[in-house]
Amino acid sequence: MPFTRIALRGGKPAEYRKALTDSIQRSLVATFNVPKDDIFMLITEHDASNFVYDNQYLNVQRTDDLVMIQITVSNTRTLEQKKALYKRMVDELAESPGLRREDVLINLVEVLKENWSFGNGIAQYAV
């Protein structure tokens, strides 16, 4: 069950934001074996003073179209799956909504399975 946070500069249309979430979900389904209907995402839009980044860290040339994606998942994926996710996500986002590959920052946060509750105060994944 991924929980995804997407941060970007404000002003993009609803269609753009929908293309972001659709592309990210397709990537998770394809590489992390996430069920299609297992989707929990938040989008936050920021003005320039609240969207701070280095436009050339590690020699990656970023623009104000930068999208920061943080995905919290259970710690059950291999290194190969993670690399496949990063590549697939950049490919999907380049296609729709048309993001430059340099403008996609992905951060994966792994947690233990018992750190999830999907409702009713129950740790559904705890064994």
Side-chain angles (χ1 to χ4, degrees), residues 2 4 6 15-41 71 81 84-99:
T4 304
I6 305 161
E15 299 81 26
Y16 180 90
R17 295 189 309 272
K18 173 111 171 66
L20 286 174
T21 58
D22 288 350
S23 295
I24 292 167
Q25 185 66 8
R26 280 193 303 273
S27 302
L28 288 164
V29 169
T31 60
F32 273 24
N33 303 314
V34 171
K36 203 172 206 174
D37 63 344
D38 184 354
I39 182 168
F40 297 90
M41 297 189 190
I71 307 168
Q81 285 177 297
L85 173 69
Y86 305 147
K87 182 179 182 332
R88 177 69 177 256
M89 194 170 295
V90 168
D91 291 345
E92 290 278 352
L93 291 167
E95 185 173 323
S96 175
L99 266 172

mmCIF file of all heavy atoms in Angstrom, residues 2 4 6 15-41 71 81 84-99:
data_model
loop_
_atom_site.group_PDB
_atom_site.id
_atom_site.type_symbol
_atom_site.label_atom_id
_atom_site.label_comp_id
_atom_site.label_asym_id
_atom_site.label_seq_id
_atom_site.Cartn_x
_atom_site.Cartn_y
_atom_site.Cartn_z
ATOM 1 N N PRO A 2 1.192 1.759 -1.149
ATOM 2 C CA PRO A 2 1.960 2.995 -1.169
ATOM 3 C C PRO A 2 1.120 4.193 -0.729
ATOM 4 O O PRO A 2 -0.093 4.240 -0.984
ATOM 5 C CB PRO A 2 2.355 3.143 -2.636
ATOM 6 C CG PRO A 2 2.106 1.824 -3.257
ATOM 7 C CD PRO A 2 1.028 1.177 -2.462
ATOM 8 N N THR A 4 1.538 8.188 -1.346
ATOM 9 C CA THR A 4 2.358 9.060 -2.182
ATOM 10 C C THR A 4 2.037 10.526 -1.934
ATOM 11 O O THR A 4 0.866 10.923 -1.930
ATOM 12 C CB THR A 4 2.124 8.721 -3.680
ATOM 13 O OG1 THR A 4 2.406 7.333 -3.877
ATOM 14 C CG2 THR A 4 3.014 9.551 -4.574
ATOM 15 N N ILE A 6 2.966 14.298 -3.493
ATOM 16 C CA ILE A 6 3.472 14.953 -4.691
ATOM 17 C C ILE A 6 3.485 16.454 -4.429
ATOM 18 O O ILE A 6 2.450 17.032 -4.087
ATOM 19 C CB ILE A 6 2.566 14.650 -5.911
ATOM 20 C CG1 ILE A 6 2.412 13.141 -6.094
ATOM 21 C CG2 ILE A 6 3.106 15.333 -7.168
ATOM 22 C CD1 ILE A 6 1.216 12.748 -6.935
ATOM 23 N N GLU A 15 -5.999 18.784 -15.140
ATOM 24 C CA GLU A 15 -5.618 17.709 -16.064
ATOM 25 C C GLU A 15 -4.155 17.313 -15.870
ATOM 26 O O GLU A 15 -3.804 16.139 -15.977
ATOM 27 C CB GLU A 15 -5.852 18.118 -17.522
ATOM 28 C CG GLU A 15 -7.284 18.446 -17.861
ATOM 29 C CD GLU A 15 -7.700 19.866 -17.453
ATOM 30 O OE1 GLU A 15 -6.838 20.775 -17.350
ATOM 31 O OE2 GLU A 15 -8.903 20.049 -17.215
ATOM 32 N N TYR A 16 -3.304 18.287 -15.619
ATOM 33 C CA TYR A 16 -1.889 18.033 -15.381
ATOM 34 C C TYR A 16 -1.715 17.208 -14.108
ATOM 35 O O TYR A 16 -1.001 16.211 -14.082
ATOM 36 C CB TYR A 16 -1.144 19.366 -15.274
ATOM 37 C CG TYR A 16 0.334 19.236 -15.015
ATOM 38 C CD1 TYR A 16 1.237 19.152 -16.064
ATOM 39 C CD2 TYR A 16 0.837 19.232 -13.716
ATOM 40 C CE1 TYR A 16 2.604 19.045 -15.835
ATOM 41 C CE2 TYR A 16 2.201 19.128 -13.475
ATOM 42 C CZ TYR A 16 3.071 19.034 -14.535
ATOM 43 O OH TYR A 16 4.423 18.934 -14.299
ATOM 44 N N ARG A 17 -2.395 17.629 -13.037
ATOM 45 C CA ARG A 17 -2.287 16.912 -11.762
ATOM 46 C C ARG A 17 -2.835 15.492 -11.892
ATOM 47 O O ARG A 17 -2.269 14.551 -11.339
ATOM 48 C CB ARG A 17 -2.988 17.706 -10.658
ATOM 49 C CG ARG A 17 -2.295 19.054 -10.383
ATOM 50 C CD ARG A 17 -2.840 19.764 -9.161
ATOM 51 N NE ARG A 17 -4.273 19.907 -9.137
ATOM 52 C CZ ARG A 17 -4.955 20.930 -9.679
ATOM 53 N NH1 ARG A 17 -4.313 21.890 -10.308
ATOM 54 N NH2 ARG A 17 -6.272 20.977 -9.582
ATOM 55 N N LYS A 18 -3.899 15.308 -12.643
ATOM 56 C CA LYS A 18 -4.448 13.964 -12.879
ATOM 57 C C LYS A 18 -3.453 13.116 -13.658
ATOM 58 O O LYS A 18 -3.258 11.934 -13.358
ATOM 59 C CB LYS A 18 -5.768 14.054 -13.644
ATOM 60 C CG LYS A 18 -6.329 12.712 -14.081
ATOM 61 C CD LYS A 18 -7.564 12.348 -13.339
ATOM 62 C CE LYS A 18 -8.282 11.133 -13.859
ATOM 63 N NZ LYS A 18 -7.595 9.879 -13.735
ATOM 64 N N ALA A 19 -2.789 13.703 -14.642
ATOM 65 C CA ALA A 19 -1.772 12.970 -15.407
ATOM 66 C C ALA A 19 -0.623 12.545 -14.494
ATOM 67 O O ALA A 19 -0.068 11.452 -14.661
ATOM 68 C CB ALA A 19 -1.263 13.812 -16.571
ATOM 69 N N LEU A 20 -0.265 13.379 -13.529
ATOM 70 C CA LEU A 20 0.776 13.009 -12.556
ATOM 71 C C LEU A 20 0.359 11.764 -11.776
ATOM 72 O O LEU A 20 1.105 10.781 -11.719
ATOM 73 C CB LEU A 20 1.036 14.145 -11.564
ATOM 74 C CG LEU A 20 1.798 15.365 -12.019
ATOM 75 C CD1 LEU A 20 1.819 16.415 -10.915
ATOM 76 C CD2 LEU A 20 3.200 15.013 -12.459
ATOM 77 N N THR A 21 -0.821 11.802 -11.167
ATOM 78 C CA THR A 21 -1.241 10.684 -10.333
ATOM 79 C C THR A 21 -1.439 9.418 -11.168
ATOM 80 O O THR A 21 -1.067 8.326 -10.728
ATOM 81 C CB THR A 21 -2.521 11.005 -9.534
ATOM 82 O OG1 THR A 21 -3.573 11.358 -10.434
ATOM 83 C CG2 THR A 21 -2.268 12.139 -8.544
ATOM 84 N N ASP A 22 -1.994 9.549 -12.362
ATOM 85 C CA ASP A 22 -2.183 8.376 -13.224
ATOM 86 C C ASP A 22 -0.848 7.743 -13.605
ATOM 87 O O ASP A 22 -0.695 6.516 -13.572
ATOM 88 C CB ASP A 22 -2.944 8.751 -14.493
ATOM 89 C CG ASP A 22 -4.418 9.055 -14.242
ATOM 90 O OD1 ASP A 22 -4.919 8.792 -13.123
ATOM 91 O OD2 ASP A 22 -5.065 9.570 -15.172
ATOM 92 N N SER A 23 0.127 8.568 -13.960
ATOM 93 C CA SER A 23 1.448 8.058 -14.349
ATOM 94 C C SER A 23 2.153 7.386 -13.185
ATOM 95 O O SER A 23 2.764 6.317 -13.345
ATOM 96 C CB SER A 23 2.313 9.198 -14.893
ATOM 97 O OG SER A 23 1.773 9.710 -16.083
ATOM 98 N N ILE A 24 2.073 7.985 -12.026
ATOM 99 C CA ILE A 24 2.707 7.413 -10.836
ATOM 100 C C ILE A 24 2.048 6.084 -10.490
ATOM 101 O O ILE A 24 2.737 5.087 -10.213
ATOM 102 C CB ILE A 24 2.659 8.405 -9.659
ATOM 103 C CG1 ILE A 24 3.560 9.608 -9.959
ATOM 104 C CG2 ILE A 24 3.039 7.723 -8.346
ATOM 105 C CD1 ILE A 24 3.360 10.784 -9.025
ATOM 106 N N GLN A 25 0.722 6.028 -10.536
ATOM 107 C CA GLN A 25 0.027 4.782 -10.213
ATOM 108 C C GLN A 25 0.364 3.678 -11.211
ATOM 109 O O GLN A 25 0.603 2.532 -10.812
ATOM 110 C CB GLN A 25 -1.492 5.010 -10.152
ATOM 111 C CG GLN A 25 -2.280 3.798 -9.717
ATOM 112 C CD GLN A 25 -2.008 3.380 -8.277
ATOM 113 O OE1 GLN A 25 -1.333 4.071 -7.510
ATOM 114 N NE2 GLN A 25 -2.527 2.226 -7.894
ATOM 115 N N ARG A 26 0.413 3.992 -12.502
ATOM 116 C CA ARG A 26 0.789 2.985 -13.497
ATOM 117 C C ARG A 26 2.183 2.428 -13.203
ATOM 118 O O ARG A 26 2.430 1.227 -13.334
ATOM 119 C CB ARG A 26 0.755 3.577 -14.912
ATOM 120 C CG ARG A 26 -0.622 3.656 -15.522
ATOM 121 C CD ARG A 26 -0.571 3.954 -17.005
ATOM 122 N NE ARG A 26 0.147 5.172 -17.332
ATOM 123 C CZ ARG A 26 -0.395 6.389 -17.375
ATOM 124 N NH1 ARG A 26 -1.677 6.558 -17.096
ATOM 125 N NH2 ARG A 26 0.339 7.427 -17.693
ATOM 126 N N SER A 27 3.084 3.291 -12.780
ATOM 127 C CA SER A 27 4.450 2.873 -12.449
ATOM 128 C C SER A 27 4.471 1.933 -11.252
ATOM 129 O O SER A 27 5.189 0.924 -11.252
ATOM 130 C CB SER A 27 5.320 4.093 -12.152
ATOM 131 O OG SER A 27 5.339 4.975 -13.238
ATOM 132 N N LEU A 28 3.706 2.244 -10.229
ATOM 133 C CA LEU A 28 3.641 1.403 -9.034
ATOM 134 C C LEU A 28 3.019 0.045 -9.345
ATOM 135 O O LEU A 28 3.493 -0.983 -8.872
ATOM 136 C CB LEU A 28 2.848 2.118 -7.932
ATOM 137 C CG LEU A 28 3.560 3.305 -7.292
ATOM 138 C CD1 LEU A 28 2.575 4.165 -6.514
ATOM 139 C CD2 LEU A 28 4.696 2.836 -6.409
ATOM 140 N N VAL A 29 1.979 0.041 -10.152
ATOM 141 C CA VAL A 29 1.329 -1.218 -10.535
ATOM 142 C C VAL A 29 2.303 -2.093 -11.322
ATOM 143 O O VAL A 29 2.429 -3.291 -11.071
ATOM 144 C CB VAL A 29 0.046 -0.936 -11.346
ATOM 145 C CG1 VAL A 29 -0.498 -2.203 -11.993
ATOM 146 C CG2 VAL A 29 -1.020 -0.289 -10.462
ATOM 147 N N ALA A 30 3.027 -1.477 -12.253
ATOM 148 C CA ALA A 30 3.912 -2.236 -13.139
ATOM 149 C C ALA A 30 5.168 -2.765 -12.447
ATOM 150 O O ALA A 30 5.635 -3.852 -12.772
ATOM 151 C CB ALA A 30 4.312 -1.367 -14.331
ATOM 152 N N THR A 31 5.710 -2.027 -11.501
ATOM 153 C CA THR A 31 7.008 -2.408 -10.936
ATOM 154 C C THR A 31 6.948 -2.928 -9.503
ATOM 155 O O THR A 31 7.803 -3.711 -9.096
ATOM 156 C CB THR A 31 7.988 -1.214 -10.961
ATOM 157 O OG1 THR A 31 7.438 -0.151 -10.183
ATOM 158 C CG2 THR A 31 8.246 -0.759 -12.386
ATOM 159 N N PHE A 32 5.968 -2.487 -8.737
ATOM 160 C CA PHE A 32 5.864 -2.888 -7.331
ATOM 161 C C PHE A 32 4.692 -3.839 -7.091
ATOM 162 O O PHE A 32 4.368 -4.141 -5.957
ATOM 163 C CB PHE A 32 5.711 -1.657 -6.426
ATOM 164 C CG PHE A 32 7.009 -1.034 -5.994
ATOM 165 C CD1 PHE A 32 8.182 -1.182 -6.719
ATOM 166 C CD2 PHE A 32 7.065 -0.274 -4.844
ATOM 167 C CE1 PHE A 32 9.368 -0.596 -6.307
ATOM 168 C CE2 PHE A 32 8.243 0.315 -4.415
ATOM 169 C CZ PHE A 32 9.397 0.154 -5.156
ATOM 170 N N ASN A 33 4.030 -4.273 -8.163
ATOM 171 C CA ASN A 33 2.893 -5.189 -8.056
ATOM 172 C C ASN A 33 1.791 -4.659 -7.142
ATOM 173 O O ASN A 33 1.162 -5.409 -6.395
ATOM 174 C CB ASN A 33 3.353 -6.569 -7.585
ATOM 175 C CG ASN A 33 4.398 -7.151 -8.505
ATOM 176 O OD1 ASN A 33 4.238 -7.111 -9.723
ATOM 177 N ND2 ASN A 33 5.477 -7.653 -7.946
ATOM 178 N N VAL A 34 1.550 -3.365 -7.215
ATOM 179 C CA VAL A 34 0.500 -2.728 -6.431
ATOM 180 C C VAL A 34 -0.835 -2.966 -7.147
ATOM 181 O O VAL A 34 -0.920 -2.795 -8.359
ATOM 182 C CB VAL A 34 0.790 -1.210 -6.307
ATOM 183 C CG1 VAL A 34 -0.379 -0.469 -5.697
ATOM 184 C CG2 VAL A 34 2.064 -0.982 -5.499
ATOM 185 N N PRO A 35 -1.872 -3.358 -6.427
ATOM 186 C CA PRO A 35 -3.178 -3.490 -7.066
ATOM 187 C C PRO A 35 -3.631 -2.144 -7.655
ATOM 188 O O PRO A 35 -3.356 -1.085 -7.094
ATOM 189 C CB PRO A 35 -4.111 -3.922 -5.920
ATOM 190 C CG PRO A 35 -3.197 -4.532 -4.905
ATOM 191 C CD PRO A 35 -1.907 -3.775 -5.022
ATOM 192 N N LYS A 36 -4.316 -2.212 -8.774
ATOM 193 C CA LYS A 36 -4.726 -1.007 -9.501
ATOM 194 C C LYS A 36 -5.537 -0.038 -8.634
ATOM 195 O O LYS A 36 -5.404 1.177 -8.748
ATOM 196 C CB LYS A 36 -5.530 -1.427 -10.725
ATOM 197 C CG LYS A 36 -5.561 -0.430 -11.818
ATOM 198 C CD LYS A 36 -6.220 -1.019 -13.051
ATOM 199 C CE LYS A 36 -5.694 -0.295 -14.268
ATOM 200 N NZ LYS A 36 -6.156 -0.871 -15.511
ATOM 201 N N ASP A 37 -6.396 -0.578 -7.765
ATOM 202 C CA ASP A 37 -7.258 0.277 -6.944
ATOM 203 C C ASP A 37 -6.628 0.669 -5.606
ATOM 204 O O ASP A 37 -7.257 1.324 -4.785
ATOM 205 C CB ASP A 37 -8.611 -0.393 -6.717
ATOM 206 C CG ASP A 37 -8.500 -1.704 -5.945
ATOM 207 O OD1 ASP A 37 -7.385 -2.261 -5.837
ATOM 208 O OD2 ASP A 37 -9.539 -2.180 -5.459
ATOM 209 N N ASP A 38 -5.384 0.301 -5.388
ATOM 210 C CA ASP A 38 -4.656 0.650 -4.171
ATOM 211 C C ASP A 38 -3.971 1.995 -4.405
ATOM 212 O O ASP A 38 -2.790 2.067 -4.716
ATOM 213 C CB ASP A 38 -3.639 -0.453 -3.854
ATOM 214 C CG ASP A 38 -2.898 -0.217 -2.549
ATOM 215 O OD1 ASP A 38 -3.075 0.848 -1.929
ATOM 216 O OD2 ASP A 38 -2.125 -1.108 -2.161
ATOM 217 N N ILE A 39 -4.740 3.059 -4.287
ATOM 218 C CA ILE A 39 -4.212 4.383 -4.601
ATOM 219 C C ILE A 39 -4.553 5.361 -3.479
ATOM 220 O O ILE A 39 -5.717 5.558 -3.138
ATOM 221 C CB ILE A 39 -4.716 4.879 -5.975
ATOM 222 C CG1 ILE A 39 -4.129 6.249 -6.316
ATOM 223 C CG2 ILE A 39 -6.232 4.880 -6.059
ATOM 224 C CD1 ILE A 39 -4.333 6.669 -7.746
ATOM 225 N N PHE A 40 -3.498 5.939 -2.884
ATOM 226 C CA PHE A 40 -3.616 6.938 -1.832
ATOM 227 C C PHE A 40 -2.549 7.992 -2.107
ATOM 228 O O PHE A 40 -1.360 7.755 -1.888
ATOM 229 C CB PHE A 40 -3.421 6.301 -0.448
ATOM 230 C CG PHE A 40 -4.477 5.282 -0.117
ATOM 231 C CD1 PHE A 40 -4.295 3.952 -0.458
ATOM 232 C CD2 PHE A 40 -5.646 5.669 0.502
ATOM 233 C CE1 PHE A 40 -5.264 3.010 -0.171
ATOM 234 C CE2 PHE A 40 -6.633 4.733 0.794
ATOM 235 C CZ PHE A 40 -6.446 3.401 0.459
ATOM 236 N N MET A 41 -2.967 9.155 -2.620
ATOM 237 C CA MET A 41 -2.021 10.199 -3.020
ATOM 238 C C MET A 41 -2.497 11.565 -2.563
ATOM 239 O O MET A 41 -3.703 11.839 -2.561
ATOM 240 C CB MET A 41 -1.853 10.213 -4.542
ATOM 241 C CG MET A 41 -1.261 8.953 -5.104
ATOM 242 S SD MET A 41 -0.860 9.143 -6.855
ATOM 243 C CE MET A 41 -0.472 7.448 -7.280
ATOM 244 N N ILE A 71 7.233 8.542 -1.740
ATOM 245 C CA ILE A 71 6.378 7.365 -1.672
ATOM 246 C C ILE A 71 6.755 6.554 -0.439
ATOM 247 O O ILE A 71 7.905 6.133 -0.293
ATOM 248 C CB ILE A 71 6.528 6.497 -2.936
ATOM 249 C CG1 ILE A 71 6.303 7.339 -4.194
ATOM 250 C CG2 ILE A 71 5.564 5.320 -2.883
ATOM 251 C CD1 ILE A 71 6.706 6.637 -5.469
ATOM 252 N N GLN A 81 13.692 -3.829 -8.079
ATOM 253 C CA GLN A 81 12.341 -3.270 -8.192
ATOM 254 C C GLN A 81 12.358 -1.753 -8.001
ATOM 255 O O GLN A 81 11.645 -1.028 -8.695
ATOM 256 C CB GLN A 81 11.402 -3.901 -7.163
ATOM 257 C CG GLN A 81 10.961 -5.299 -7.508
ATOM 258 C CD GLN A 81 10.091 -5.877 -6.412
ATOM 259 O OE1 GLN A 81 10.541 -6.063 -5.279
ATOM 260 N NE2 GLN A 81 8.836 -6.153 -6.749
ATOM 261 N N ALA A 84 13.723 -0.166 -11.093
ATOM 262 C CA ALA A 84 12.708 -0.270 -12.147
ATOM 263 C C ALA A 84 11.606 0.768 -11.927
ATOM 264 O O ALA A 84 11.112 1.378 -12.885
ATOM 265 C CB ALA A 84 12.127 -1.675 -12.180
ATOM 266 N N LEU A 85 11.226 0.992 -10.669
ATOM 267 C CA LEU A 85 10.209 2.000 -10.364
ATOM 268 C C LEU A 85 10.676 3.382 -10.794
ATOM 269 O O LEU A 85 9.938 4.118 -11.464
ATOM 270 C CB LEU A 85 9.879 2.007 -8.871
ATOM 271 C CG LEU A 85 8.946 3.144 -8.433
ATOM 272 C CD1 LEU A 85 7.542 2.943 -8.992
ATOM 273 C CD2 LEU A 85 8.930 3.269 -6.918
ATOM 274 N N TYR A 86 11.898 3.758 -10.416
ATOM 275 C CA TYR A 86 12.397 5.088 -10.754
ATOM 276 C C TYR A 86 12.400 5.306 -12.269
ATOM 277 O O TYR A 86 11.948 6.344 -12.760
ATOM 278 C CB TYR A 86 13.816 5.303 -10.207
ATOM 279 C CG TYR A 86 13.958 5.080 -8.719
ATOM 280 C CD1 TYR A 86 15.141 4.570 -8.198
ATOM 281 C CD2 TYR A 86 12.936 5.362 -7.825
ATOM 282 C CE1 TYR A 86 15.303 4.363 -6.841
ATOM 283 C CE2 TYR A 86 13.076 5.148 -6.462
ATOM 284 C CZ TYR A 86 14.266 4.657 -5.980
ATOM 285 O OH TYR A 86 14.410 4.447 -4.638
ATOM 286 N N LYS A 87 12.895 4.323 -13.010
ATOM 287 C CA LYS A 87 12.950 4.455 -14.460
ATOM 288 C C LYS A 87 11.561 4.515 -15.063
ATOM 289 O O LYS A 87 11.264 5.370 -15.903
ATOM 290 C CB LYS A 87 13.751 3.315 -15.083
ATOM 291 C CG LYS A 87 13.862 3.468 -16.598
ATOM 292 C CD LYS A 87 14.653 2.399 -17.259
ATOM 293 C CE LYS A 87 14.807 2.586 -18.741
ATOM 294 N NZ LYS A 87 13.762 3.314 -19.438
ATOM 295 N N ARG A 88 10.697 3.603 -14.649
ATOM 296 C CA ARG A 88 9.342 3.565 -15.200
ATOM 297 C C ARG A 88 8.595 4.853 -14.903
ATOM 298 O O ARG A 88 7.889 5.398 -15.754
ATOM 299 C CB ARG A 88 8.591 2.353 -14.632
ATOM 300 C CG ARG A 88 7.151 2.219 -15.068
ATOM 301 C CD ARG A 88 7.068 1.872 -16.560
ATOM 302 N NE ARG A 88 5.718 1.665 -16.995
ATOM 303 C CZ ARG A 88 5.173 0.489 -17.227
ATOM 304 N NH1 ARG A 88 5.867 -0.617 -17.062
ATOM 305 N NH2 ARG A 88 3.932 0.404 -17.628
ATOM 306 N N MET A 89 8.757 5.372 -13.688
ATOM 307 C CA MET A 89 8.051 6.584 -13.309
ATOM 308 C C MET A 89 8.501 7.773 -14.156
ATOM 309 O O MET A 89 7.677 8.550 -14.639
ATOM 310 C CB MET A 89 8.237 6.869 -11.820
ATOM 311 C CG MET A 89 7.268 7.915 -11.307
ATOM 312 S SD MET A 89 7.291 8.046 -9.515
ATOM 313 C CE MET A 89 6.674 6.426 -9.050
ATOM 314 N N VAL A 90 9.792 7.907 -14.357
ATOM 315 C CA VAL A 90 10.301 9.001 -15.191
ATOM 316 C C VAL A 90 9.805 8.842 -16.632
ATOM 317 O O VAL A 90 9.402 9.813 -17.265
ATOM 318 C CB VAL A 90 11.841 9.072 -15.111
ATOM 319 C CG1 VAL A 90 12.408 9.991 -16.171
ATOM 320 C CG2 VAL A 90 12.271 9.538 -13.732
ATOM 321 N N ASP A 91 9.812 7.610 -17.134
ATOM 322 C CA ASP A 91 9.303 7.362 -18.484
ATOM 323 C C ASP A 91 7.827 7.737 -18.593
ATOM 324 O O ASP A 91 7.408 8.400 -19.551
ATOM 325 C CB ASP A 91 9.482 5.894 -18.878
ATOM 326 C CG ASP A 91 10.936 5.499 -19.094
ATOM 327 O OD1 ASP A 91 11.796 6.405 -19.218
ATOM 328 O OD2 ASP A 91 11.211 4.280 -19.137
ATOM 329 N N GLU A 92 7.029 7.302 -17.632
ATOM 330 C CA GLU A 92 5.591 7.598 -17.639
ATOM 331 C C GLU A 92 5.337 9.108 -17.547
ATOM 332 O O GLU A 92 4.497 9.641 -18.271
ATOM 333 C CB GLU A 92 4.892 6.895 -16.466
ATOM 334 C CG GLU A 92 4.808 5.405 -16.586
ATOM 335 C CD GLU A 92 3.654 4.923 -17.456
ATOM 336 O OE1 GLU A 92 2.806 5.746 -17.861
ATOM 337 O OE2 GLU A 92 3.609 3.707 -17.727
ATOM 338 N N LEU A 93 6.055 9.787 -16.672
ATOM 339 C CA LEU A 93 5.850 11.224 -16.488
ATOM 340 C C LEU A 93 6.348 12.036 -17.682
ATOM 341 O O LEU A 93 5.825 13.110 -17.962
ATOM 342 C CB LEU A 93 6.510 11.693 -15.195
ATOM 343 C CG LEU A 93 5.834 11.174 -13.918
ATOM 344 C CD1 LEU A 93 6.724 11.413 -12.705
ATOM 345 C CD2 LEU A 93 4.469 11.815 -13.733
ATOM 346 N N ALA A 94 7.343 11.523 -18.380
ATOM 347 C CA ALA A 94 7.817 12.199 -19.597
ATOM 348 C C ALA A 94 6.759 12.116 -20.684
ATOM 349 O O ALA A 94 6.557 13.069 -21.451
ATOM 350 C CB ALA A 94 9.132 11.587 -20.069
ATOM 351 N N GLU A 95 6.057 10.977 -20.730
ATOM 352 C CA GLU A 95 5.016 10.796 -21.737
ATOM 353 C C GLU A 95 3.781 11.636 -21.418
ATOM 354 O O GLU A 95 3.240 12.319 -22.280
ATOM 355 C CB GLU A 95 4.648 9.320 -21.838
ATOM 356 C CG GLU A 95 3.656 9.029 -22.946
ATOM 357 C CD GLU A 95 3.432 7.550 -23.139
ATOM 358 O OE1 GLU A 95 4.409 6.783 -23.003
ATOM 359 O OE2 GLU A 95 2.287 7.177 -23.405
ATOM 360 N N SER A 96 3.320 11.558 -20.196
ATOM 361 C CA SER A 96 2.154 12.332 -19.770
ATOM 362 C C SER A 96 2.298 12.589 -18.280
ATOM 363 O O SER A 96 2.409 11.630 -17.516
ATOM 364 C CB SER A 96 0.869 11.547 -20.035
ATOM 365 O OG SER A 96 -0.247 12.242 -19.528
ATOM 366 N N PRO A 97 2.435 13.822 -17.921
ATOM 367 C CA PRO A 97 2.044 15.068 -18.554
ATOM 368 C C PRO A 97 3.120 15.772 -19.381
ATOM 369 O O PRO A 97 2.956 16.935 -19.749
ATOM 370 C CB PRO A 97 1.649 15.932 -17.367
ATOM 371 C CG PRO A 97 2.593 15.518 -16.287
ATOM 372 C CD PRO A 97 2.775 14.032 -16.504
ATOM 373 N N GLY A 98 4.226 15.123 -19.674
ATOM 374 C CA GLY A 98 5.270 15.752 -20.476
ATOM 375 C C GLY A 98 6.376 16.393 -19.657
ATOM 376 O O GLY A 98 7.013 17.349 -20.085
ATOM 377 N N LEU A 99 6.648 15.836 -18.499
ATOM 378 C CA LEU A 99 7.722 16.367 -17.643
ATOM 379 C C LEU A 99 9.094 16.025 -18.207
ATOM 380 O O LEU A 99 9.298 14.936 -18.751
ATOM 381 C CB LEU A 99 7.629 15.728 -16.253
ATOM 382 C CG LEU A 99 6.855 16.463 -15.189
ATOM 383 C CD1 LEU A 99 6.710 15.606 -13.946
ATOM 384 C CD2 LEU A 99 7.494 17.775 -14.846
#
